[in-house]
Every structure is written in structure tokens, then in C-alpha cells.
């Protein structure tokens, strides 16, 4: 039985790993087995990132009294 992959330390770490996987797969030099393993790892990273974003959105809803509001940044950032 294959062991589960360790969860990334943060959203940013997961995103960087995902970008690395995409670059490696885009090169076209990856053997099929490696491509399949990378694809699986990528889907797990996407799920992790989606979960983190959903958690952040939920926290914002709670902080804004259950009403999601646009974020107004100074200087239009």
C-alpha cells in the first residue's frame, strides 16, 4: 500500500511545488510513470490549496459578520 504524501507546510509552499511540477511536465522530457506520479501529486497539492483558500474565505466571512466584502487595499494594490 502506498503511503500518503506529507502535507505541505503552507499554501505558499504547496503553490511553489505545484509550479515546479507544471514546469517539469511542460518540458516534455518526463517518463510516463514520473508524469503520472507528478500528476497525482499535483492534484493533491491543488486540493490542499483549495482547502486553504476555502478556510481563509470562511475566516473572512466570520470576521465580516458573515458578509463577504471586497478587500480595499491602499494605493490600488
Amino acid at each position: 500500500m502506498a503511503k500518503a504524501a506529507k502535507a505541505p507546510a503552507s499554501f505558499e509552499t504547496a503553490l511553489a511545488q505545484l509550479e515546479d511540477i507544471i514546469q517539469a511536465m511542460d518540458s516534455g522530457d518526463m517518463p510516463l510513470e514520473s508524469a503520472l506520479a507528478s500528476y497525482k501529486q499535483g492534484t493533491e497539492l491543488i486540493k490542499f490549496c483549495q482547502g486553504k483558500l476555502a478556510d481563509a474565505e470562511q475566516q473572512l466571512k466570520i470576521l465580516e459578520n458573515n458578509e463577504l466584502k471586497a478587500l480595499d487595499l491602499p494605493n490600488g494594490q
Side-chain angles (χ1 to χ4, degrees):
M1 186 178 267
K3 63 180 181 178
K6 183 178 160 188
S10 67
F11 175 84
E12 293 78 11
T13 301
L15 194 57
Q17 290 175 354
L18 190 55
E19 289 171 349
D20 290 343
I21 289 170
I22 291 168
Q23 275 188 329
M25 292 181 81
D26 278 347
S27 73
D29 296 331
M30 190 178 283
L32 179 60
E33 292 298 320
S34 296
L36 289 172
S38 293
Y39 182 85
K40 181 180 176 186
Q41 182 184 7
T43 57
E44 292 170 2
L45 289 168
I46 289 170
K47 288 178 187 175
F48 175 84
C49 289
Q50 288 173 333
K52 289 291 185 182
L53 289 172
D55 290 346
E57 183 178 8
Q58 185 62 33
Q59 289 177 17
L60 286 173
K61 284 181 180 179
I62 291 170
L63 291 172
E64 293 294 335
N65 197 19
N66 205 27
E67 182 179 321
L68 190 57
K69 298 178 181 178
L71 179 62
D72 293 323
L73 296 175
N75 301 326
Q77 294 177 346

